[in-house]
Amino acid sequence: QNPGVLKMVLAGRNGVFHMRATDGSGRLWAHEAVADNPDGVIPLRVLVSIPMSVVFATADRALERNLVGIAVALALLLIAAWYGTEYFILRKVRALLAAAGRVHAGDLGARAGLSDTGEELNRIGAAFDEMTQALQDRESELNEVLRKLNEQATTDPLTGLCNRRYLMDFLQHELARAQRSTTAVAAFMLDIDFFKRINDTHGHAAGDLVLTEIAG
């Protein structure tokens, strides 16, 4: 019932894309054709989706939980400093505050830089650094997943060539650039003669091999 989703699904054999559902929530969608008719029409597709909130839920909960804990610890330390705590404590508090502020701004590479020497503040700083490292590792994993999903959405899994979705985006960009620079654009279209005969005579596995070799 979502025209945008239907349009994306019908645009190719498979892919992954981000689009809002009919209820307005952001979702990650993935679709795959699981059957082919001889006439090229795809009779059956599988479509799945998950909310974006679920994709990032683990990292979001960990960040919120740890930042709340750090904020409470820092509040207690500031009260102690207010009553005349020694200078070295204030220095460590500033380091933790600066690191927490950078994390809040989105910099998961921030570190308090306090060695775990057994002192309370140093242990908190070491725990903070471990927490930010874990969050940074989690973000890297999520970015790698998104990179792979984007690659799958723009690459044909059989031949490794860019698919039609990539072609349309790339061609639009190249045509615009050619128009700005008043240069020509050349496009080649290749067709395999009697390809249906190959599939009918030798099977689809042989046809896939022909496609792979020509793509190479």
Side-chain angles (χ1 to χ4, degrees):
Q1 298 179 357
N2 189 323
V5 172
L6 182 61
K7 179 180 179 181
M8 295 296 291
V9 170
L10 296 179
R13 289 183 54 82
N14 56 65
V16 178
F17 58 93
H18 170 252
M19 183 173 292
R20 293 192 177 276
T22 53
D23 61 0
S25 62
R27 300 182 72 89
L28 189 66
W29 305 79
H31 66 93
E32 178 77 28
V34 297
D36 286 295
N37 283 342
D39 58 4
V41 176
I42 300 173
L44 182 61
R45 302 172 186 264
V46 174
L47 174 67
V48 296
S49 73
I50 57 174
M52 293 302 294
S53 58
V54 174
V55 176
F56 295 102
T58 301
D60 289 343
R61 284 197 300 267
L63 178 61
E64 181 180 0
R65 183 171 57 250
N66 287 309
L67 285 179
V68 169
I70 291 298
V72 171
L74 291 179
L76 294 175
L77 292 172
L78 287 174
I79 292 174
W82 181 265
Y83 287 98
T85 311
E86 295 140 72
Y87 171 75
F88 72 92
I89 293 181
L90 292 176
R91 177 175 55 84
K92 295 176 183 179
V93 169
R94 282 196 295 270
L96 283 167
L97 279 172
R102 289 171 59 190
V103 170
H104 182 68
D107 180 12
L108 296 181
R111 299 292 183 271
L114 302 178
S115 58
D116 190 359
T117 59
E119 297 179 9
E120 192 69 24
L121 269 178
N122 289 68
R123 293 210 308 264
I124 292 175
F128 179 89
D129 289 349
E130 291 176 5
M131 178 269 295
T132 52
Q133 182 63 53
L135 288 174
Q136 191 173 35
D137 293 343
R138 179 61 176 169
E139 183 184 49
S140 298
E141 292 173 4
L142 288 173
N143 288 336
E144 179 63 16
V145 169
L146 290 175
R147 184 193 67 78
K148 289 180 179 179
L149 288 175
N150 182 68
E151 182 178 328
Q152 293 172 6
T154 57
T155 305
D156 173 50
L158 175 64
T159 63
L161 298 177
C162 295
N163 61 18
R164 179 180 177 181
R165 176 180 300 168
Y166 180 88
L167 169 65
M168 300 310 295
D169 292 340
F170 181 79
L171 187 59
Q172 184 178 10
H173 171 78
E174 287 301 308
L175 290 174
R177 188 174 68 165
Q179 187 175 20
R180 291 194 304 270
S181 59
T182 63
T183 56
V185 174
F188 291 86
M189 178 177 292
L190 304 181
D191 184 41
I192 306 174
D193 290 338
F194 311 113
F195 183 66
K196 185 177 184 301
R197 186 183 303 172
I198 295 174
N199 283 328
D200 294 343
T201 304
H202 304 287
H204 288 282
D208 289 349
L209 180 61
V210 170
L211 289 175
T212 303
E213 289 296 320
I214 291 178

mmCIF file with all atom_site columns, all heavy atoms in Angstrom, residues 50-70:
data_model
loop_
_atom_site.group_PDB
_atom_site.id
_atom_site.type_symbol
_atom_site.label_atom_id
_atom_site.label_alt_id
_atom_site.label_comp_id
_atom_site.label_asym_id
_atom_site.label_entity_id
_atom_site.label_seq_id
_atom_site.pdbx_PDB_ins_code
_atom_site.Cartn_x
_atom_site.Cartn_y
_atom_site.Cartn_z
_atom_site.occupancy
_atom_site.B_iso_or_equiv
_atom_site.pdbx_formal_charge
_atom_site.auth_seq_id
_atom_site.auth_comp_id
_atom_site.auth_asym_id
_atom_site.auth_atom_id
_atom_site.pdbx_PDB_model_num
ATOM 1   N N   . ILE A 1 50 ? 12.632 -3.659 8.462  1.00 0.00 ? 50 ILE A N   1
ATOM 2   C CA  . ILE A 1 50 ? 12.755 -3.485 9.912  1.00 0.00 ? 50 ILE A CA  1
ATOM 3   C C   . ILE A 1 50 ? 12.850 -1.990 10.200 1.00 0.00 ? 50 ILE A C   1
ATOM 4   O O   . ILE A 1 50 ? 13.378 -1.232 9.391  1.00 0.00 ? 50 ILE A O   1
ATOM 5   C CB  . ILE A 1 50 ? 13.985 -4.209 10.484 1.00 0.00 ? 50 ILE A CB  1
ATOM 6   C CG1 . ILE A 1 50 ? 15.266 -3.715 9.784  1.00 0.00 ? 50 ILE A CG1 1
ATOM 7   C CG2 . ILE A 1 50 ? 13.871 -5.700 10.361 1.00 0.00 ? 50 ILE A CG2 1
ATOM 8   C CD1 . ILE A 1 50 ? 16.533 -4.278 10.399 1.00 0.00 ? 50 ILE A CD1 1
ATOM 9   N N   . PRO A 1 51 ? 12.318 -1.558 11.343 1.00 0.00 ? 51 PRO A N   1
ATOM 10  C CA  . PRO A 1 51 ? 12.406 -0.138 11.693 1.00 0.00 ? 51 PRO A CA  1
ATOM 11  C C   . PRO A 1 51 ? 13.864 0.279  11.873 1.00 0.00 ? 51 PRO A C   1
ATOM 12  O O   . PRO A 1 51 ? 14.696 -0.485 12.366 1.00 0.00 ? 51 PRO A O   1
ATOM 13  C CB  . PRO A 1 51 ? 11.623 -0.038 13.013 1.00 0.00 ? 51 PRO A CB  1
ATOM 14  C CG  . PRO A 1 51 ? 10.789 -1.283 13.071 1.00 0.00 ? 51 PRO A CG  1
ATOM 15  C CD  . PRO A 1 51 ? 11.565 -2.340 12.348 1.00 0.00 ? 51 PRO A CD  1
ATOM 16  N N   . MET A 1 52 ? 14.184 1.512  11.460 1.00 0.00 ? 52 MET A N   1
ATOM 17  C CA  . MET A 1 52 ? 15.533 2.035  11.660 1.00 0.00 ? 52 MET A CA  1
ATOM 18  C C   . MET A 1 52 ? 15.848 2.120  13.147 1.00 0.00 ? 52 MET A C   1
ATOM 19  O O   . MET A 1 52 ? 17.007 2.015  13.556 1.00 0.00 ? 52 MET A O   1
ATOM 20  C CB  . MET A 1 52 ? 15.664 3.416  11.008 1.00 0.00 ? 52 MET A CB  1
ATOM 21  C CG  . MET A 1 52 ? 15.582 3.399  9.498  1.00 0.00 ? 52 MET A CG  1
ATOM 22  S SD  . MET A 1 52 ? 16.826 2.348  8.707  1.00 0.00 ? 52 MET A SD  1
ATOM 23  C CE  . MET A 1 52 ? 18.314 3.252  9.142  1.00 0.00 ? 52 MET A CE  1
ATOM 24  N N   . SER A 1 53 ? 14.815 2.300  13.965 1.00 0.00 ? 53 SER A N   1
ATOM 25  C CA  . SER A 1 53 ? 15.056 2.358  15.407 1.00 0.00 ? 53 SER A CA  1
ATOM 26  C C   . SER A 1 53 ? 15.597 1.037  15.920 1.00 0.00 ? 53 SER A C   1
ATOM 27  O O   . SER A 1 53 ? 16.393 0.999  16.867 1.00 0.00 ? 53 SER A O   1
ATOM 28  C CB  . SER A 1 53 ? 13.752 2.713  16.134 1.00 0.00 ? 53 SER A CB  1
ATOM 29  O OG  . SER A 1 53 ? 12.737 1.756  15.847 1.00 0.00 ? 53 SER A OG  1
ATOM 30  N N   . VAL A 1 54 ? 15.194 -0.080 15.285 1.00 0.00 ? 54 VAL A N   1
ATOM 31  C CA  . VAL A 1 54 ? 15.710 -1.384 15.692 1.00 0.00 ? 54 VAL A CA  1
ATOM 32  C C   . VAL A 1 54 ? 17.159 -1.549 15.248 1.00 0.00 ? 54 VAL A C   1
ATOM 33  O O   . VAL A 1 54 ? 17.983 -2.116 15.975 1.00 0.00 ? 54 VAL A O   1
ATOM 34  C CB  . VAL A 1 54 ? 14.839 -2.508 15.090 1.00 0.00 ? 54 VAL A CB  1
ATOM 35  C CG1 . VAL A 1 54 ? 15.444 -3.879 15.370 1.00 0.00 ? 54 VAL A CG1 1
ATOM 36  C CG2 . VAL A 1 54 ? 13.431 -2.422 15.637 1.00 0.00 ? 54 VAL A CG2 1
ATOM 37  N N   . VAL A 1 55 ? 17.483 -1.028 14.036 1.00 0.00 ? 55 VAL A N   1
ATOM 38  C CA  . VAL A 1 55 ? 18.849 -1.145 13.536 1.00 0.00 ? 55 VAL A CA  1
ATOM 39  C C   . VAL A 1 55 ? 19.842 -0.483 14.479 1.00 0.00 ? 55 VAL A C   1
ATOM 40  O O   . VAL A 1 55 ? 20.921 -1.002 14.760 1.00 0.00 ? 55 VAL A O   1
ATOM 41  C CB  . VAL A 1 55 ? 18.959 -0.503 12.127 1.00 0.00 ? 55 VAL A CB  1
ATOM 42  C CG1 . VAL A 1 55 ? 20.396 -0.532 11.635 1.00 0.00 ? 55 VAL A CG1 1
ATOM 43  C CG2 . VAL A 1 55 ? 18.046 -1.240 11.150 1.00 0.00 ? 55 VAL A CG2 1
ATOM 44  N N   . PHE A 1 56 ? 19.462 0.686  15.001 1.00 0.00 ? 56 PHE A N   1
ATOM 45  C CA  . PHE A 1 56 ? 20.378 1.431  15.854 1.00 0.00 ? 56 PHE A CA  1
ATOM 46  C C   . PHE A 1 56 ? 20.023 1.321  17.335 1.00 0.00 ? 56 PHE A C   1
ATOM 47  O O   . PHE A 1 56 ? 20.588 2.054  18.149 1.00 0.00 ? 56 PHE A O   1
ATOM 48  C CB  . PHE A 1 56 ? 20.374 2.913  15.450 1.00 0.00 ? 56 PHE A CB  1
ATOM 49  C CG  . PHE A 1 56 ? 20.921 3.160  14.073 1.00 0.00 ? 56 PHE A CG  1
ATOM 50  C CD1 . PHE A 1 56 ? 20.060 3.397  13.003 1.00 0.00 ? 56 PHE A CD1 1
ATOM 51  C CD2 . PHE A 1 56 ? 22.283 3.145  13.831 1.00 0.00 ? 56 PHE A CD2 1
ATOM 52  C CE1 . PHE A 1 56 ? 20.558 3.622  11.732 1.00 0.00 ? 56 PHE A CE1 1
ATOM 53  C CE2 . PHE A 1 56 ? 22.779 3.363  12.563 1.00 0.00 ? 56 PHE A CE2 1
ATOM 54  C CZ  . PHE A 1 56 ? 21.927 3.603  11.513 1.00 0.00 ? 56 PHE A CZ  1
ATOM 55  N N   . ALA A 1 57 ? 19.075 0.430  17.674 1.00 0.00 ? 57 ALA A N   1
ATOM 56  C CA  . ALA A 1 57 ? 18.585 0.403  19.051 1.00 0.00 ? 57 ALA A CA  1
ATOM 57  C C   . ALA A 1 57 ? 19.684 0.059  20.049 1.00 0.00 ? 57 ALA A C   1
ATOM 58  O O   . ALA A 1 57 ? 19.797 0.682  21.108 1.00 0.00 ? 57 ALA A O   1
ATOM 59  C CB  . ALA A 1 57 ? 17.436 -0.610 19.171 1.00 0.00 ? 57 ALA A CB  1
ATOM 60  N N   . THR A 1 58 ? 20.524 -0.913 19.736 1.00 0.00 ? 58 THR A N   1
ATOM 61  C CA  . THR A 1 58 ? 21.550 -1.350 20.692 1.00 0.00 ? 58 THR A CA  1
ATOM 62  C C   . THR A 1 58 ? 22.520 -0.226 20.994 1.00 0.00 ? 58 THR A C   1
ATOM 63  O O   . THR A 1 58 ? 22.827 0.070  22.157 1.00 0.00 ? 58 THR A O   1
ATOM 64  C CB  . THR A 1 58 ? 22.308 -2.557 20.130 1.00 0.00 ? 58 THR A CB  1
ATOM 65  O OG1 . THR A 1 58 ? 21.388 -3.618 19.877 1.00 0.00 ? 58 THR A OG1 1
ATOM 66  C CG2 . THR A 1 58 ? 23.363 -3.032 21.127 1.00 0.00 ? 58 THR A CG2 1
ATOM 67  N N   . ALA A 1 59 ? 23.006 0.433  19.941 1.00 0.00 ? 59 ALA A N   1
ATOM 68  C CA  . ALA A 1 59 ? 23.962 1.519  20.159 1.00 0.00 ? 59 ALA A CA  1
ATOM 69  C C   . ALA A 1 59 ? 23.318 2.695  20.884 1.00 0.00 ? 59 ALA A C   1
ATOM 70  O O   . ALA A 1 59 ? 23.934 3.306  21.769 1.00 0.00 ? 59 ALA A O   1
ATOM 71  C CB  . ALA A 1 59 ? 24.534 1.986  18.819 1.00 0.00 ? 59 ALA A CB  1
ATOM 72  N N   . ASP A 1 60 ? 22.055 2.988  20.523 1.00 0.00 ? 60 ASP A N   1
ATOM 73  C CA  . ASP A 1 60 ? 21.374 4.118  21.166 1.00 0.00 ? 60 ASP A CA  1
ATOM 74  C C   . ASP A 1 60 ? 21.156 3.861  22.652 1.00 0.00 ? 60 ASP A C   1
ATOM 75  O O   . ASP A 1 60 ? 21.373 4.746  23.490 1.00 0.00 ? 60 ASP A O   1
ATOM 76  C CB  . ASP A 1 60 ? 20.018 4.375  20.484 1.00 0.00 ? 60 ASP A CB  1
ATOM 77  C CG  . ASP A 1 60 ? 20.192 4.955  19.082 1.00 0.00 ? 60 ASP A CG  1
ATOM 78  O OD1 . ASP A 1 60 ? 21.299 5.445  18.792 1.00 0.00 ? 60 ASP A OD1 1
ATOM 79  O OD2 . ASP A 1 60 ? 19.237 4.910  18.301 1.00 0.00 ? 60 ASP A OD2 1
ATOM 80  N N   . ARG A 1 61 ? 20.719 2.639  22.983 1.00 0.00 ? 61 ARG A N   1
ATOM 81  C CA  . ARG A 1 61 ? 20.488 2.332  24.400 1.00 0.00 ? 61 ARG A CA  1
ATOM 82  C C   . ARG A 1 61 ? 21.792 2.362  25.197 1.00 0.00 ? 61 ARG A C   1
ATOM 83  O O   . ARG A 1 61 ? 21.842 2.869  26.312 1.00 0.00 ? 61 ARG A O   1
ATOM 84  C CB  . ARG A 1 61 ? 19.812 0.964  24.534 1.00 0.00 ? 61 ARG A CB  1
ATOM 85  C CG  . ARG A 1 61 ? 18.339 0.954  24.178 1.00 0.00 ? 61 ARG A CG  1
ATOM 86  C CD  . ARG A 1 61 ? 17.666 -0.293 24.719 1.00 0.00 ? 61 ARG A CD  1
ATOM 87  N NE  . ARG A 1 61 ? 18.271 -1.491 24.174 1.00 0.00 ? 61 ARG A NE  1
ATOM 88  C CZ  . ARG A 1 61 ? 17.836 -2.115 23.084 1.00 0.00 ? 61 ARG A CZ  1
ATOM 89  N NH1 . ARG A 1 61 ? 16.801 -1.632 22.420 1.00 0.00 ? 61 ARG A NH1 1
ATOM 90  N NH2 . ARG A 1 61 ? 18.424 -3.212 22.653 1.00 0.00 ? 61 ARG A NH2 1
ATOM 91  N N   . ALA A 1 62 ? 22.853 1.815  24.598 1.00 0.00 ? 62 ALA A N   1
ATOM 92  C CA  . ALA A 1 62 ? 24.143 1.803  25.301 1.00 0.00 ? 62 ALA A CA  1
ATOM 93  C C   . ALA A 1 62 ? 24.655 3.219  25.518 1.00 0.00 ? 62 ALA A C   1
ATOM 94  O O   . ALA A 1 62 ? 25.149 3.557  26.599 1.00 0.00 ? 62 ALA A O   1
ATOM 95  C CB  . ALA A 1 62 ? 25.161 0.989  24.500 1.00 0.00 ? 62 ALA A CB  1
ATOM 96  N N   . LEU A 1 63 ? 24.527 4.062  24.490 1.00 0.00 ? 63 LEU A N   1
ATOM 97  C CA  . LEU A 1 63 ? 24.991 5.441  24.612 1.00 0.00 ? 63 LEU A CA  1
ATOM 98  C C   . LEU A 1 63 ? 24.187 6.190  25.670 1.00 0.00 ? 63 LEU A C   1
ATOM 99  O O   . LEU A 1 63 ? 24.765 6.885  26.527 1.00 0.00 ? 63 LEU A O   1
ATOM 100 C CB  . LEU A 1 63 ? 24.864 6.151  23.260 1.00 0.00 ? 63 LEU A CB  1
ATOM 101 C CG  . LEU A 1 63 ? 25.268 7.625  23.231 1.00 0.00 ? 63 LEU A CG  1
ATOM 102 C CD1 . LEU A 1 63 ? 26.739 7.773  23.620 1.00 0.00 ? 63 LEU A CD1 1
ATOM 103 C CD2 . LEU A 1 63 ? 25.023 8.235  21.861 1.00 0.00 ? 63 LEU A CD2 1
ATOM 104 N N   . GLU A 1 64 ? 22.864 6.049  25.641 1.00 0.00 ? 64 GLU A N   1
ATOM 105 C CA  . GLU A 1 64 ? 22.027 6.749  26.611 1.00 0.00 ? 64 GLU A CA  1
ATOM 106 C C   . GLU A 1 64 ? 22.318 6.272  28.031 1.00 0.00 ? 64 GLU A C   1
ATOM 107 O O   . GLU A 1 64 ? 22.475 7.087  28.948 1.00 0.00 ? 64 GLU A O   1
ATOM 108 C CB  . GLU A 1 64 ? 20.553 6.525  26.262 1.00 0.00 ? 64 GLU A CB  1
ATOM 109 C CG  . GLU A 1 64 ? 19.600 7.244  27.227 1.00 0.00 ? 64 GLU A CG  1
ATOM 110 C CD  . GLU A 1 64 ? 18.145 7.011  26.863 1.00 0.00 ? 64 GLU A CD  1
ATOM 111 O OE1 . GLU A 1 64 ? 17.890 6.299  25.864 1.00 0.00 ? 64 GLU A OE1 1
ATOM 112 O OE2 . GLU A 1 64 ? 17.272 7.520  27.561 1.00 0.00 ? 64 GLU A OE2 1
ATOM 113 N N   . ARG A 1 65 ? 22.398 4.953  28.212 1.00 0.00 ? 65 ARG A N   1
ATOM 114 C CA  . ARG A 1 65 ? 22.630 4.408  29.548 1.00 0.00 ? 65 ARG A CA  1
ATOM 115 C C   . ARG A 1 65 ? 23.986 4.844  30.108 1.00 0.00 ? 65 ARG A C   1
ATOM 116 O O   . ARG A 1 65 ? 24.103 5.262  31.262 1.00 0.00 ? 65 ARG A O   1
ATOM 117 C CB  . ARG A 1 65 ? 22.543 2.883  29.487 1.00 0.00 ? 65 ARG A CB  1
ATOM 118 C CG  . ARG A 1 65 ? 22.695 2.192  30.834 1.00 0.00 ? 65 ARG A CG  1
ATOM 119 C CD  . ARG A 1 65 ? 22.383 0.714  30.731 1.00 0.00 ? 65 ARG A CD  1
ATOM 120 N NE  . ARG A 1 65 ? 23.219 0.055  29.747 1.00 0.00 ? 65 ARG A NE  1
ATOM 121 C CZ  . ARG A 1 65 ? 22.794 -0.416 28.584 1.00 0.00 ? 65 ARG A CZ  1
ATOM 122 N NH1 . ARG A 1 65 ? 21.524 -0.283 28.243 1.00 0.00 ? 65 ARG A NH1 1
ATOM 123 N NH2 . ARG A 1 65 ? 23.613 -1.016 27.730 1.00 0.00 ? 65 ARG A NH2 1
ATOM 124 N N   . ASN A 1 66 ? 25.003 4.791  29.280 1.00 0.00 ? 66 ASN A N   1
ATOM 125 C CA  . ASN A 1 66 ? 26.344 5.140  29.753 1.00 0.00 ? 66 ASN A CA  1
ATOM 126 C C   . ASN A 1 66 ? 26.504 6.637  29.978 1.00 0.00 ? 66 ASN A C   1
ATOM 127 O O   . ASN A 1 66 ? 27.182 7.061  30.925 1.00 0.00 ? 66 ASN A O   1
ATOM 128 C CB  . ASN A 1 66 ? 27.392 4.632  28.764 1.00 0.00 ? 66 ASN A CB  1
ATOM 129 C CG  . ASN A 1 66 ? 27.572 3.129  28.820 1.00 0.00 ? 66 ASN A CG  1
ATOM 130 O OD1 . ASN A 1 66 ? 27.763 2.566  29.889 1.00 0.00 ? 66 ASN A OD1 1
ATOM 131 N ND2 . ASN A 1 66 ? 27.480 2.470  27.683 1.00 0.00 ? 66 ASN A ND2 1
ATOM 132 N N   . LEU A 1 67 ? 25.873 7.436  29.118 1.00 0.00 ? 67 LEU A N   1
ATOM 133 C CA  . LEU A 1 67 ? 25.968 8.879  29.307 1.00 0.00 ? 67 LEU A CA  1
ATOM 134 C C   . LEU A 1 67 ? 25.253 9.317  30.583 1.00 0.00 ? 67 LEU A C   1
ATOM 135 O O   . LEU A 1 67 ? 25.712 10.222 31.280 1.00 0.00 ? 67 LEU A O   1
ATOM 136 C CB  . LEU A 1 67 ? 25.380 9.607  28.094 1.00 0.00 ? 67 LEU A CB  1
ATOM 137 C CG  . LEU A 1 67 ? 26.256 9.592  26.832 1.00 0.00 ? 67 LEU A CG  1
ATOM 138 C CD1 . LEU A 1 67 ? 25.547 10.314 25.697 1.00 0.00 ? 67 LEU A CD1 1
ATOM 139 C CD2 . LEU A 1 67 ? 27.614 10.219 27.099 1.00 0.00 ? 67 LEU A CD2 1
ATOM 140 N N   . VAL A 1 68 ? 24.127 8.660  30.882 1.00 0.00 ? 68 VAL A N   1
ATOM 141 C CA  . VAL A 1 68 ? 23.438 8.986  32.144 1.00 0.00 ? 68 VAL A CA  1
ATOM 142 C C   . VAL A 1 68 ? 24.326 8.631  33.332 1.00 0.00 ? 68 VAL A C   1
ATOM 143 O O   . VAL A 1 68 ? 24.453 9.403  34.292 1.00 0.00 ? 68 VAL A O   1
ATOM 144 C CB  . VAL A 1 68 ? 22.093 8.234  32.226 1.00 0.00 ? 68 VAL A CB  1
ATOM 145 C CG1 . VAL A 1 68 ? 21.506 8.343  33.631 1.00 0.00 ? 68 VAL A CG1 1
ATOM 146 C CG2 . VAL A 1 68 ? 21.108 8.802  31.212 1.00 0.00 ? 68 VAL A CG2 1
ATOM 147 N N   . GLY A 1 69 ? 24.951 7.467  33.281 1.00 0.00 ? 69 GLY A N   1
ATOM 148 C CA  . GLY A 1 69 ? 25.843 7.078  34.367 1.00 0.00 ? 69 GLY A CA  1
ATOM 149 C C   . GLY A 1 69 ? 27.011 8.025  34.526 1.00 0.00 ? 69 GLY A C   1
ATOM 150 O O   . GLY A 1 69 ? 27.383 8.403  35.655 1.00 0.00 ? 69 GLY A O   1
ATOM 151 N N   . ILE A 1 70 ? 27.588 8.421  33.410 1.00 0.00 ? 70 ILE A N   1
ATOM 152 C CA  . ILE A 1 70 ? 28.714 9.361  33.456 1.00 0.00 ? 70 ILE A CA  1
ATOM 153 C C   . ILE A 1 70 ? 28.248 10.714 33.987 1.00 0.00 ? 70 ILE A C   1
ATOM 154 O O   . ILE A 1 70 ? 28.948 11.368 34.786 1.00 0.00 ? 70 ILE A O   1
ATOM 155 C CB  . ILE A 1 70 ? 29.325 9.514  32.053 1.00 0.00 ? 70 ILE A CB  1
ATOM 156 C CG1 . ILE A 1 70 ? 30.028 8.215  31.631 1.00 0.00 ? 70 ILE A CG1 1
ATOM 157 C CG2 . ILE A 1 70 ? 30.323 10.660 32.023 1.00 0.00 ? 70 ILE A CG2 1
ATOM 158 C CD1 . ILE A 1 70 ? 31.178 7.827  32.527 1.00 0.00 ? 70 ILE A CD1 1
#
